[in-house]
Amino acid sequence: MYHILVTLDSNYIPPLKVMLYSLFANNPGKKFAIHLIYAHITNEEIKDLKKYTDFFGQSLNAVYIGEEVFSDALTTMHYTKAMYYRLLAHCFLPSDIEKILYLDPDILAINPLDELYNTDLTGYLFGACAHNTPIVDYINKIRLQSTESEHYFNSGVLLINLKQGRLEIKKEAIFNYVAENEALLILPDQDVLNGLYGNRILALDDSLYNYDVRKSSSYALISGGAKKTDWVVKNTVFLHFCGKQKPWRSKYTNKFGLLYKHYQRLAGL
Amino acid sequence: MYHILVTLDSNYIPPLKVMLYSLFANNPGKKFAIHLIYAHITNEEIKDLKKYTDFFGQSLNAVYIGEEVFSDALTTMHYTKAMYYRLLAHCFLPSDIEKILYLDPDILAINPLDELYNTDLTGYLFGACAHNTPIVDYINKIRLQSTESEHYFNSGVLLINLKQGRLEIKKEAIFNYVAENEALLILPDQDVLNGLYGNRILALDDSLYNYDVRKSSSYALISGGAKKTDWVVKNTVFLHFCGKQKPWRSKYTNKFGLLYKHYQRLAGL
């Protein structure tokens, strides 16, 4: 059984369905439990999602987060409650789940995830990928003073060691960090992940597990020509459609867009 | 039950598997009977193909064509027996099949084929698509003297009215036509199809059923911008990877190549 965590609002339900479809289709015969932590999705939408996962023989566990839950946390226009769901997932999920894989909804699975999911996280809180841009890494390191970590990790694909999190990650620490660094945080959850836990993250290969589709030439170049399209098609597990241009828009031009749109059609959208 | 006809030699078995996989995947819950007419495929390869279709719950009917079958037909280096399989399919298939869809192995299905398969062929021998290039149409019309037909049809996707063919299409007529026009035939089976039966073919929409991936800008242009990528993903049933550049080669650059390669991976190749 693979446990998958998603956290989103209504706007992202269609991409979520595409992401889930691609996950099911590329892991034939595997069982998934989809855990959705949410605050602003209607009951109708939850029912519809339940029907969707049922159709593929998979299960949905929808966890509603009430107004009171983060009443003592700093939430503003910029910092919504949702930023805490990923880091505090262990507070909201059944206590017998030891590990879960968080996935952004703008992700497309194109290969099986077994190897990623089975990564040994002993001693780590998370497994994540850095989108290595040396200059961005440098700026973020100064900004967040996380000198111990080499990378600035992307939080879009996050393998979470819930067992370890239950022992180490405390709400208060996160709330305090946010309050103290309010002015510095640009991408709240990602910044907190890196600032507080950067040195407790196992670095995973982004070309395999969090492939930034905007950077395909860079992947090919850095690998000395090895990681071209053919390699990606055979090896990459998750394509991440990062950035403001989204593949479900008709104007989207990136070469991976066609594959995305085909999955959109297959997912019935 | 959808009857599909394929005719090929060993070299094309991997693409055939990709084509079949895409057909099954994009027509969920549908039953297919794959009829393979062949002369040069080993028993091992046939067994392997049978295992492959079995795996997807589909059936394979392999029809071996012995040396004696076309002993009275003109076959040379250029004109092999295989050129006759499509046009004379009714001679080799069970007599209770009234209609069959022939597909080239360099085709990828990306949408359900129901509408195409259910096209009413009453009074026609075939349904086929022209790859409309006015100048090529003109040259071919002169060359093959098929003045009654408006188009030069591509034989890569061919809906065959077997019932009508049993009544009308005689081996001898085809053998004679080939013998008489030997010097003029460039693409043997396609030329015979157009030369002898051009006016008995129901013209189908190539942008839907035989989309030449080399001409994507032309489809968009001719349709006044309507048939861009988004339209193709939602509507086109068969992408045809025409021409010498093939999508299973690593140097292939056409934008549809990535989708093809992903299906290659899904098909286990």
Side-chain angles (χ1 to χ4, degrees), chain B residues 69-140:
Chain B
V69 176
F70 287 112
S71 54
D72 49 350
L74 180 69
T75 59
T76 65
M77 271 288 282
H78 191 62
Y79 303 152
T80 67
K81 292 184 298 181
M83 64 180 272
Y84 300 111
Y85 299 165
R86 247 171 280 193
L87 298 174
L88 294 174
H90 58 277
C91 304
F92 312 117
L93 297 173
S95 59
D96 60 329
I97 308 180
E98 302 200 343
K99 187 194 257 181
I100 199 165
L101 177 65
Y102 168 84
L103 292 173
D104 267 356
D106 55 355
I107 277 172
L108 192 74
I110 61 168
N111 271 298
L113 53 51
D114 312 66
E115 243 178 89
L116 168 62
Y117 199 92
N118 295 326
T119 303
D120 183 7
L121 282 186
T122 308
Y124 293 97
L125 286 170
F126 303 99
C129 305
H131 283 162
N132 288 306
T133 320
I135 185 69
V136 174
D137 277 0
Y138 179 72
I139 292 169
N140 282 326

Side-chain angles (χ1 to χ4, degrees), chain A residues 71-107:
Chain A
S71 55
D72 49 350
L74 181 68
T75 60
T76 64
M77 272 287 282
H78 191 63
Y79 304 153
T80 68
K81 292 184 300 182
M83 65 180 272
Y84 299 111
Y85 299 165
R86 245 170 282 192
L87 299 174
L88 294 174
H90 58 277
C91 304
F92 312 115
L93 296 173
S95 59
D96 59 329
I97 308 179
E98 302 201 343
K99 185 194 261 183
I100 198 164
L101 177 64
Y102 168 85
L103 293 172
D104 267 355
D106 55 354
I107 277 172

Side-chain angles (χ1 to χ4, degrees), chain B residues 1 18 45 66 69 98 127-128 149 184-185 218 240 262 268:
Chain B
M1 173 71 82
V18 177
E45 287 166 327
V69 176
E98 302 200 343
S149 168
L184 289 167
L185 307 181
S218 157
H240 193 173
H262 179 58

